[in-house]
Amino acid sequence: MDFKVADLSLADFGRKEIRLAEHEMPGLMATRKEFAASQPLRGAKIMGSLHMTIQTAVLIETLVALGADVRWVSCNIFSTQDHAAAAVVVGPEGTVEEPKGVPVFAWKGETLEEYWWCTDQALQWPDGTGPNMILDDGGDATLLVHKGAEFEKAGGVVPTASEDDPEEWGIILDLLRRTVNDDRRWTKTAEAIKGVTEETTTGVHRLYEMFNNRQLLFPAINVNDSVTKSKFDNKYGCRHSVIDGLNRATDVLIGGKVAVVAGYGDVGKGCADALRGQGARVIVTEIDPICALQAAMDGFQVTTLEEVVGIADIFVTTTGNFSIITADHMAQMKHNAIVSNIGHFDNEIDMAGLARIPGIEKEEVKPQVHTWRFPDGKQIIVLAEGRLMNLGCATGHPSFVMSNSFTNQVIAQIELFTKTDDYPIGVYVLPKHLDEKVARLHLDALGVKLTVLSKKQAEYIGVDVEGPYKPDHYRY
Ligand code: NAI
């Protein structure tokens, strides 16, 4: 088996944590049971690009339990948990000497070159074919296949580096220059793919953009906008892991500090709530009047970053947008202000601009925690080099909330793989009855007792006793 992870001897520790996680992931475990006999993913060759954590290990082994042949990478250079990667490679039946699990190409602290090399490896099966399904988080695997096919269509012409991130874009183009060839590898890969299921807001945004520009080459299910994903993982997951990231990175007391949360979408709501829960005075920035009004009514001060940049102790960007905290902002911050991002990509904080400030000095406190000292002696603390701090500095979201997200992923993979003809090229969300099913699978574990509608009550509000209980336009 081909794979590349940091250290296979961590597999035993990984397996112990996977077993604990399985107990906390009732949705995934129920899905394994439900589909054990029918094996709906038999024949599926799934390439996954999603943070290689313990929770993801339970997702991978669920896909395998349903019949899939899987290859995996992390979707971020810092988010792999090396013991999880090792355990997945070894597999529940294998040993370090004779691994029998899933090929994983991921380790914590990849370079960008290594990151894209891993993605390329996971897109190639040993027999020279590619996947027939992608499970993506942020859209990097989908992007690589689309760019390769696009350049092959243009006669194999791969442009020289350009665009807004010259370093990373240059690496992608180098890879494509080596792999775009007469065999039309990427075109064939794209043609063989029945669909992609996308995990996060930023990846979904890319998919709709590609679809609207008529560039999307295969159908996609937007898992992010299942209610049981974005209203849980993005919100309650970040409510947990933003604090975990801050604590493990700095252990600074949050109570009494001024914290700025940029963006008050699902992630911002979770982060602001958590920071307030720790006793911070939380200030929100927003561009959307609806989200700004929500933040105000939730009791937060809402203002611009420029107004408060010099008084805040902790900054967390949650926008999925770029250039939120500029080098100029950072130059105005207090000594030892903590600067972090929990949105998908690292461009929310202008790290390149920070590095260009004349005389600035970067020092590593420990991996993923750096001080940047300005020529006047003042310094700021930047977490995870501006990449998502909850996965870079801590271990991401806990299992129970990821069970909701990943049960949606498994259902979406089954939908696209088994009902391919029902999904012409486009971007879809799962039907509401499946969303409700995911929630239902998680109630018992929390001791929730649902009230059952009477037939008359159901008729009165115009729904079926079995659900769905809300119209599609309902917002929760
Ligand atoms: P969202 O769209 O619900 O929220 C983003 C908010 O930022 C919006 O309300 C938007 O109006 C606001 N915004 C945009 N530009 C802004 C600016 N210049 N200043 C202030 N506010 C601005 O998106 P969601 O679901 O909250 O996700 C945000 C990001 O977090 C995405 O990149 C997503 O992929 C990522 N994400 C990260 C997770 C993690 O574990 N680290 C988990 C889930 C999502």
Side-chain angles (χ1 to χ4, degrees):
M1 183 174 49
D2 58 335
F3 63 87
K4 191 162 162 59
V5 299
D7 182 359
L8 266 200
S9 72
L10 299 172
D12 188 41
F13 171 35
R15 183 56 49 192
K16 286 177 188 153
E17 288 216 333
I18 288 171
R19 292 217 178 92
L20 292 178
E22 285 171 350
H23 180 70
E24 279 283 296
M25 302 187 89
L28 283 183
M29 299 314 276
T31 310
R32 284 190 199 180
K33 224 185 240 166
E34 181 181 347
F35 295 107
S38 61
Q39 295 283 292
L41 293 177
R42 185 180 296 131
K45 292 161 66 193
I46 302 173
M47 183 276 185
S49 168
L50 193 153
H51 312 290
M52 184 55 259
T53 63
I54 289 291
Q55 292 70 33
T56 302
V58 183
L59 166 64
I60 293 171
E61 293 183 352
T62 302
L63 296 169
V64 171
L66 270 47
D69 180 4
V70 180
R71 291 170 78 80
W72 212 266
V73 292
S74 224
C75 62
N76 183 280
I77 59 173
F78 293 138
S79 65
T80 298
Q81 290 164 16
D82 289 322
H83 63 319
V88 170
V89 169
V90 167
E93 312 288 332
T95 61
V96 172
E97 293 71 35
E98 201 184 339
K100 290 187 181 160
V102 163
V104 173
F105 302 85
W107 56 95
K108 192 173 181 76
E110 296 158 6
T111 64
L112 283 172
E113 279 91 356
E114 289 166 341
Y115 173 81
W116 286 100
W117 176 85
C118 290
T119 305
D120 188 30
Q121 293 303 305
L123 282 164
Q124 299 177 68
W125 261 248
D127 65 1
T129 61
N132 55 21
M133 295 292 298
I134 291 181
L135 192 159
D136 220 349
D137 183 346
D140 278 352
T142 305
L143 173 112
L144 193 61
V145 174
H146 276 76
K147 285 290 169 198
E150 182 188 317
F151 295 140
E152 283 172 2
K153 205 172 160 195
V157 182
V158 181
T160 48
S162 63
E163 298 209 2
D164 57 356
D165 183 350
E167 188 197 350
E168 186 158 11
W169 184 234
I171 291 165
I172 299 168
L173 291 179
D174 270 352
L175 192 161
L176 288 174
R177 240 174 264 124
R178 290 193 302 275
T179 53
V180 164
N181 56 32
D182 294 344
D183 277 354
R184 297 169 59 251
R185 168 191 162 191
W186 294 105
T187 312
K188 286 183 199 158
T189 302
E191 282 167 1
I193 291 172
K194 290 169 183 281
V196 54
T197 59
E198 170 54 53
E199 174 81 1
T200 200
T201 318
T202 288
V204 162
H205 178 72
R206 280 180 168 183
L207 285 170
Y208 283 111
E209 215 167 55
M210 278 195 273
F211 178 62
N212 291 336
N213 296 336
R214 296 174 190 278
Q215 291 166 337
L216 190 63
L217 298 175
F218 35 79
I221 290 187
N222 162 1
V223 169
N224 182 66
D225 286 298
S226 287
V227 179
T228 48
K229 199 286 182 180
S230 49
K231 298 290 170 187
F232 290 81
D233 167 328
N234 303 24
K235 185 178 176 187
Y236 304 119
C238 288
R239 187 177 69 179
H240 173 103
S241 59
V242 71
I243 301 299
D244 198 12
L246 283 168
N247 283 349
R248 294 203 210 192
T250 67
D251 207 20
V252 75
L253 185 77
I254 297 169
K257 298 287 191 327
V258 176
V260 174
V261 174
Y264 202 68
D266 291 319
V267 172
K269 287 179 175 76
C271 292
D273 189 16
L275 289 159
R276 174 158 66 188
Q278 289 294 313
R281 182 155 70 83
V282 180
I283 300 170
V284 168
T285 73
E286 251 297 344
I287 47 120
D288 178 337
I290 296 176
C291 297
L293 189 60
Q294 282 182 314
M297 291 219 180
D298 284 338
F300 298 109
Q301 181 187 349
V302 184
T303 187
T304 62
L305 191 53
E306 288 69 27
E307 287 281 313
V308 289
V309 72
I311 60 151
D313 304 283
I314 300 168
F315 296 82
V316 185
T317 57
T318 78
T319 69
N321 202 345
F322 81 114
S323 265
I324 301 303
I325 297 183
T326 63
D328 206 33
H329 288 135
M330 289 185 271
Q332 296 170 51
M333 288 177 184
K334 280 165 70 169
H335 182 63
N336 278 356
I338 298 168
V339 181
S340 67
N341 162 47
I342 199 168
H344 192 80
F345 284 120
D346 59 335
N347 54 359
E348 300 210 19
I349 301 170
D350 182 12
M351 294 303 297
L354 182 65
R356 278 196 301 269
I357 291 177
I360 191 124
E361 279 174 28
K362 176 186 177 189
E363 188 175 42
E364 179 158 299
V365 179
K366 58 184 177 182
Q368 281 83 61
V369 181
H370 294 89
T371 54
W372 288 78
R373 187 178 291 272
F374 291 82
D376 65 359
K378 178 191 80 175
Q379 66 180 22
I380 58 169
I381 304 167
V382 179
L383 306 193
E385 314 234 10
R387 294 170 197 275
L388 18 80
M389 54 83 98
N390 59 336
L391 282 137
C393 299
T395 51
H397 297 352
S399 302
F400 196 80
V401 84
M402 293 316 293
S403 179
N404 287 268
S405 308
F406 289 167
T407 306
N408 279 293
Q409 277 287 4
V410 175
I411 291 174
Q413 285 282 322
I414 295 173
E415 275 291 301
L416 273 183
F417 184 69
T418 58
K419 300 185 189 151
T420 313
D421 293 343
D422 293 354
Y423 293 95
I425 289 180
V427 187
Y428 304 88
V429 286
L430 286 174
K432 195 168 285 293
H433 72 96
L434 292 178
D435 218 345
E436 288 178 357
K437 175 180 168 179
V438 173
R440 213 181 269 279
L441 290 173
H442 292 87
L443 297 181
D444 275 356
L446 299 179
V448 173
K449 286 193 179 146
L450 263 190
T451 300
V452 179
L453 271 178
S454 72
K455 200 163 177 313
K456 282 197 166 154
Q457 283 177 319
E459 276 165 17
Y460 186 73
I461 59 170
V463 301
D464 202 281
V465 172
E466 303 298 325
Y469 302 102
K470 299 283 195 295
D472 281 340
H473 58 259
Y474 187 80
R475 294 197 178 89
Y476 298 86

XYZ file of all heavy atoms in Angstrom, residues 81-113:
241
model
N -3.729 15.229 12.467
C -3.306 14.635 13.738
C -2.552 13.364 13.349
O -3.136 12.424 12.807
C -4.513 14.337 14.617
C -5.169 15.625 15.128
C -6.564 15.395 15.676
O -6.969 14.282 15.969
N -7.311 16.476 15.817
N -1.258 13.367 13.623
C -0.411 12.295 13.079
C -0.817 10.915 13.577
O -0.677 9.922 12.848
C 1.067 12.592 13.389
C 1.584 13.766 12.551
O 1.186 13.870 11.368
O 2.369 14.577 13.065
N -1.335 10.843 14.803
C -1.753 9.513 15.300
C -3.005 9.031 14.583
O -3.192 7.832 14.358
C -1.927 9.511 16.819
C -2.996 10.426 17.347
N -3.224 11.692 16.872
C -3.923 10.225 18.328
C -4.222 12.238 17.557
N -4.662 11.355 18.431
N -3.852 9.968 14.175
C -5.062 9.594 13.429
C -4.667 9.082 12.039
O -5.164 8.042 11.574
C -5.998 10.797 13.310
N -3.746 9.809 11.393
C -3.296 9.400 10.053
C -2.673 7.998 10.117
O -2.961 7.139 9.277
C -2.285 10.408 9.525
N -1.838 7.768 11.148
C -1.175 6.467 11.277
C -2.205 5.356 11.489
O -2.124 4.283 10.866
C -0.185 6.508 12.444
N -3.179 5.613 12.349
C -4.176 4.577 12.655
C -5.008 4.231 11.426
O -5.371 3.069 11.211
C -5.076 5.038 13.797
N -5.310 5.228 10.603
C -6.111 4.968 9.399
C -5.308 4.122 8.410
O -5.838 3.207 7.787
C -6.579 6.301 8.751
C -7.190 6.050 7.381
C -7.590 6.991 9.653
N -4.010 4.406 8.293
C -3.170 3.620 7.379
C -3.071 2.174 7.875
O -3.247 1.226 7.115
C -1.761 4.249 7.253
C -0.808 3.297 6.539
C -1.836 5.574 6.499
N -2.802 1.995 9.162
C -2.676 0.640 9.713
C -4.015 -0.089 9.644
O -4.079 -1.268 9.274
C -2.132 0.699 11.162
C -2.280 -0.642 11.861
C -0.664 1.134 11.140
N -5.098 0.631 9.953
C -6.433 0.031 9.879
C -6.731 -0.819 11.091
O -5.810 -1.270 11.787
N -8.029 -1.078 11.369
C -8.392 -1.843 12.567
C -7.839 -3.270 12.541
O -7.600 -3.865 13.582
C -9.931 -1.838 12.554
C -10.355 -1.232 11.271
C -9.180 -0.616 10.595
N -7.607 -3.819 11.356
C -7.152 -5.215 11.237
C -5.647 -5.347 11.008
O -5.114 -6.450 11.048
C -7.835 -5.904 10.032
C -9.342 -5.718 9.940
C -10.058 -6.514 11.002
O -9.502 -7.540 11.409
O -11.133 -6.074 11.444
N -4.971 -4.246 10.723
C -3.571 -4.343 10.313
C -2.599 -4.157 11.460
O -2.975 -4.018 12.626
N -1.323 -4.180 11.132
C -0.262 -3.908 12.104
C 0.682 -2.881 11.476
O 0.611 -2.628 10.279
C 0.563 -5.183 12.406
O 1.164 -5.611 11.177
C -0.280 -6.289 12.986
N 1.566 -2.348 12.301
C 2.531 -1.377 11.777
C 3.382 -2.031 10.684
O 3.711 -1.409 9.669
C 3.413 -0.836 12.925
C 4.555 0.015 12.397
C 2.561 -0.034 13.908
N 3.705 -3.309 10.892
C 4.519 -4.016 9.896
C 3.703 -4.316 8.649
O 4.224 -4.334 7.543
C 5.036 -5.360 10.456
C 6.038 -5.230 11.592
C 5.398 -4.730 12.896
O 4.233 -5.089 13.175
O 6.052 -3.951 13.615
N 2.417 -4.589 8.843
C 1.574 -4.943 7.698
C 0.284 -4.103 7.723
O -0.772 -4.568 8.166
C 1.230 -6.436 7.747
C 0.810 -6.955 6.393
C 0.373 -8.427 6.461
O 0.767 -9.127 7.417
O -0.378 -8.833 5.580
N 0.403 -2.859 7.264
C -0.781 -1.996 7.297
C -1.863 -2.507 6.350
O -1.549 -2.960 5.254
C -0.237 -0.640 6.814
C 1.223 -0.753 6.717
C 1.567 -2.197 6.674
N -3.128 -2.407 6.814
C -4.221 -2.915 5.975
C -5.340 -1.894 5.858
O -6.482 -2.237 5.578
C -4.782 -4.200 6.602
C -3.851 -5.384 6.524
C -4.559 -6.638 6.999
C -3.618 -7.829 6.948
N -4.086 -8.918 7.811
N -5.019 -0.647 6.157
C -6.079 0.355 6.158
C -6.185 1.107 4.846
O -6.182 0.508 3.773
N -6.196 2.415 4.958
C -6.475 3.293 3.811
C -5.223 4.122 3.519
O -4.589 4.624 4.455
C -7.674 4.207 4.172
C -7.783 5.397 3.243
C -8.965 3.391 4.179
N -4.862 4.282 2.240
C -3.718 5.144 1.923
C -3.993 6.607 2.307
O -4.941 7.214 1.803
C -3.572 5.012 0.400
C -4.330 3.771 0.046
C -5.422 3.645 1.049
N -3.171 7.115 3.216
C -3.295 8.518 3.641
C -1.984 9.215 3.286
O -0.904 8.643 3.478
C -3.541 8.611 5.164
C -3.508 10.067 5.636
C -4.866 7.966 5.541
N -2.099 10.426 2.781
C -0.920 11.241 2.476
C -1.084 12.541 3.255
O -1.672 13.495 2.761
C -0.834 11.504 0.964
C -0.764 10.233 0.158
C -1.921 9.559 -0.200
C 0.461 9.693 -0.195
C -1.856 8.365 -0.909
C 0.543 8.502 -0.901
C -0.630 7.844 -1.262
N -0.634 12.568 4.494
C -0.857 13.756 5.325
C -0.017 13.695 6.587
O 0.103 12.630 7.191
C -2.338 13.842 5.709
N 0.550 14.829 6.961
C 1.246 14.936 8.238
C 1.153 16.384 8.696
O 0.906 17.291 7.885
C 2.694 14.457 8.131
C 3.516 15.150 7.087
C 4.336 16.213 7.264
C 3.582 14.820 5.678
N 4.917 16.567 6.061
C 4.470 15.728 5.074
C 2.966 13.845 4.879
C 4.770 15.698 3.709
C 3.262 13.818 3.525
C 4.160 14.724 2.950
N 1.289 16.588 10.011
C 1.180 17.952 10.544
C 2.425 18.740 10.154
O 3.545 18.271 10.375
C 1.029 17.918 12.063
C 0.622 19.275 12.635
C 0.306 19.166 14.120
C -0.117 20.501 14.696
N -1.475 20.892 14.353
N 2.226 19.905 9.554
C 3.368 20.741 9.199
C 3.926 20.460 7.813
O 5.137 20.478 7.614
N 3.037 20.180 6.864
C 3.496 20.033 5.472
C 3.937 21.391 4.934
O 3.437 22.424 5.368
C 2.333 19.532 4.589
C 1.821 18.158 4.954
C 0.377 17.918 4.468
O -0.176 18.774 3.750
O -0.187 16.879 4.813
N 4.861 21.361 3.969
C 5.090 22.595 3.202
C 3.974 22.676 2.154
O 3.264 21.693 1.907
C 6.435 22.553 2.468
O 6.380 21.477 1.507
C 7.598 22.321 3.422
N 3.848 23.823 1.513
C 2.818 23.942 0.478
C 3.098 22.993 -0.689
O 2.173 22.416 -1.264
C 2.721 25.388 -0.016
C 1.979 26.334 0.939
C 2.111 27.770 0.467
C 0.508 25.948 1.064
N 4.382 22.806 -1.035
C 4.731 21.851 -2.112
C 4.263 20.450 -1.724
O 3.696 19.727 -2.523
C 6.254 21.797 -2.372
C 6.787 22.911 -3.227
C 7.219 24.091 -2.376
O 7.023 24.029 -1.134
O 7.739 25.074 -2.927
